[in-house]
Each structure stands twice: as structure tokens, then as C-alpha cells.
Amino acid sequence: MLDYIYPLIRAGLFRLDPEVAHHLSLSALRLGERAGLLKLAFSGAGLDEPVEVLGLRFSNRIGLAAGMDKDGDTIDGLGRLGFGSIEIGTFTPRAQAGNPKPRLFRLIEQEAIINRMGFNNGGIAAGVANARRARTFRGVLGFNIGKNKDTPNEEAAADYLECLRQAYPMADYIAVNLSSPNTPGLRDLQGPETCARLLETLQREQTRLAGEHGKRVPLLFKVAPDLDDGHIRDLSAVFLAGGLDGLIATNTTLDRDLVASHPHAAEAGGLSGRPEFAKSTAVLQAFASHLGGRIPIIGVGGISSLEDAQAKLRAGASLVQVYTAFIYQGPRLIRQLARGLA
Ligand SMILES: Cc1cc2nc3c(=O)[nH]c(=O)nc-3n(C[C@H](O)[C@H](O)[C@H](O)COP(=O)(O)O)c2cc1C
């Protein structure tokens, strides 16, 4: 039912400021879940095609990418739509407001978004508390972690460690975000030596936490699509040498080539959605060829159809995530992808 009226809902939402529309949609999902309406509307039948990746069982290969449920307060509502996994965050140790508004822009004809949100979130402790309140979601829950804007890069490891410790007991996996373009200097952490040090530091804590909590939570690094071949080769070597558990490729792009004529093209921030697909998939493929199947990859960036999702899998991904196309196409897309891949 919701599938058929989504074009109408979208028309209403798209008359609103994008960020207002975002909050309204999440509130509606929370309300719909609490009132039992989502359960009636979405049966979940035919969506399951269990697959084991990262030592975890995913009910299907479709995940919600980070940044939609930044505070982890809509897990159950989003979960009803059929996602096999949901990645909440990015969380920072302390709550922060993010960049000044406006910071979210629709490029409607291109089915794209430019955002420079800047890790607006209520802090990792609030995120963990929210996740504890989730009741009905049975899928895999990832925590995406970052650093506060005012933390210098030399102290970034401490921020990631703090988030790792707090998220660990609740998380099925932890995604280390090195690739948001909206926190100054964050992408510098993708320098191979810096990255190797950070991986080693986080793994040491992961081992300690595994003992303390009696479970091993896999660590994934999330990378940018704006990396050249040499950089991808060097990073792959770091990941293989360090024994990284998994990779998420990719975050948003700084590239504007494919949307150059759009009035919003000059807005600072990361571009996502359809125009990002080719570049993001090429980077995924390059990582996959260097990693040779030894580190599982979650493919994300510009998926807007079943063919796109299949192309990510062919390029070397074991799982996929979506964000932007879900805004444009609604919940129907999730079930189309899940059924199509099953
Ligand atoms: C509004 C918005 C906010 C985002 N926030 C985050 C974030 O906080 N952390 C993160 O790792 N990725 C974030 N992303 C990136 C997405 O997780 C994803 O990597 C990217 O949008 C590419 O996928 P897509 O083309 O399906 O949207 C955000 C994307 C958008 C559009």
C-alpha cells in the first residue's frame, strides 16, 4: 500500500526543506512502528535469503547506509522496511551540532544529494542508549564511529577508541569512518601509515574488549571513492597486513563532473546517489582485486536499481547498502533489491 502512495508522500516531502523532510520521515516511521501500522503494512515475506559474512548472519544482502539514522533512534521503524542490516551513526564521543544549515541539497533530476551535515549527532552514549531501546529489529546492527570536529587528527585515535568501547557491547559490527568529506582533515586518516597505526590501535582494543564481553565484534573501515589506484593498492596492503575484518566502499564523493550543470553543484559537501555509482563501483572493484577475496567488502554508492546492486556484487562486494535512492524511490526499492538478489 505504502509503495503505491510513496510518489504522493514524496511529492509532499520534496516541497519541504530536505532536513525538515528527513526528520519528519523518521518521526513518521517511529510513530508508525509504535502504532503497529508498519507491521501491518510490511510483511517481510520473501525477503529473507540468509548469508553469512564477517562471521554474522545477514537475513538478506541489503543494508541501510550510515547517516540516515544518525542517532539510532529509528532502528525498529526502518527495520520493518526489510533491511537485513542497519548502520547507525556516525557517532562522535561528544554530542555535536554539525555544520550550519542549509547543509543538505537535493539534485532531483540526477537522483542525487549533496550533504555537508558534519556529524550532527547526540554522542555515542545517547546512541548506545537508543539502540538498547530497539525491540523488534532482528537484523544486523552496525555502529559507525568518527571523531569530534574539534579533536585534532593527532588525537583522533582516542575518539575512535572511546566510541569503540561504548558501542562494543551493543554492536554487531563497527564501521570506522575515515571518509566523510565534511569533517576537516578526516580523510587524511586514509594515509597508509596513519591508517596502519589506527588499525593496530583499534585492533588491540578490539582484542581486549572481546575478552571482556565474550564476543568478537568485527571492525570495518569505510573509505572514500576519491582515491587513485596507487593509494588503493597501498591501503589494500595495509588492510591485508593488519588483518582488517571488512571494508565499506564507499562514502560520498567530492567529484562534481557528472552534475556540473546543476545549480547546487558548487555546494560544498559529499555527492551521493546515481551520479556516484560508476566511480564508487570502480573503486570497490579496485579494492576487491587487490584484496583478492581475503577481506569482505560492503558495496555502497549510487545503487538505484537491482542491476546496480548486482553490479556491486559482481565488482566484489558481499553485501550492499543504500541511502540516496531510498529517499527518491521509497521503501519499495528495499524489497525490490532484497527479492531480486534472493
Ligand atoms: C545526508 C547524508 C548523510 C550521510 N551521513 C553519513 C555519516 O554520518 N557517516 C557515513 O559514514 N556516511 C554518511 N553518508 C554516506 C552514506 O552512508 C553512503 O556512503 C553514500 O551516501 C553513498 O551511498 P548512496 O549513493 O546510496 O547514498 C551520508 C549520506 C547522506 C546522503
Side-chain angles (χ1 to χ4, degrees), residues 11 104 196 213 246 254 300:
L104 185 57
H213 296 284
L254 292 170
V300 51

Short mmCIF file of all heavy atoms in Angstrom, two decimals, residues 11 104 196 213 246 254 300:
data_model
loop_
_atom_site.label_atom_id
_atom_site.label_comp_id
_atom_site.label_asym_id
_atom_site.label_seq_id
_atom_site.Cartn_x
_atom_site.Cartn_y
_atom_site.Cartn_z
N ALA A 11 6.13 13.63 -3.09
CA ALA A 11 5.81 14.96 -3.62
C ALA A 11 5.62 15.95 -2.47
O ALA A 11 6.08 17.09 -2.53
CB ALA A 11 4.56 14.88 -4.49
N LEU A 104 22.08 20.32 3.34
CA LEU A 104 21.56 19.14 2.65
C LEU A 104 20.80 19.61 1.41
O LEU A 104 19.92 20.46 1.52
CB LEU A 104 20.62 18.40 3.62
CG LEU A 104 20.02 17.08 3.23
CD1 LEU A 104 21.07 16.05 2.90
CD2 LEU A 104 19.15 16.55 4.39
N ALA A 196 47.44 2.50 9.05
CA ALA A 196 48.01 1.28 9.64
C ALA A 196 48.08 1.42 11.16
O ALA A 196 47.75 0.49 11.91
CB ALA A 196 49.40 1.02 9.06
N HIS A 213 33.93 -8.88 26.92
CA HIS A 213 32.50 -9.06 26.63
C HIS A 213 32.17 -10.45 26.09
O HIS A 213 31.00 -10.75 25.81
CB HIS A 213 32.02 -8.00 25.64
CG HIS A 213 32.09 -6.61 26.20
ND1 HIS A 213 31.19 -6.12 27.10
CD2 HIS A 213 32.99 -5.61 26.00
CE1 HIS A 213 31.51 -4.88 27.43
NE2 HIS A 213 32.60 -4.55 26.78
N GLY A 246 36.79 -6.09 7.60
CA GLY A 246 35.92 -5.79 6.46
C GLY A 246 36.07 -4.36 6.00
O GLY A 246 36.57 -3.50 6.74
N LEU A 254 33.65 13.92 -3.68
CA LEU A 254 33.84 15.36 -3.87
C LEU A 254 33.73 15.74 -5.35
O LEU A 254 33.64 16.90 -5.70
CB LEU A 254 35.22 15.77 -3.34
CG LEU A 254 35.36 15.68 -1.82
CD1 LEU A 254 36.82 15.87 -1.40
CD2 LEU A 254 34.48 16.72 -1.13
N VAL A 300 28.67 0.23 -1.46
CA VAL A 300 27.69 1.31 -1.30
C VAL A 300 28.14 2.51 -2.13
O VAL A 300 29.33 2.77 -2.24
CB VAL A 300 27.50 1.68 0.20
CG1 VAL A 300 28.82 1.94 0.89
CG2 VAL A 300 26.58 2.88 0.40
#
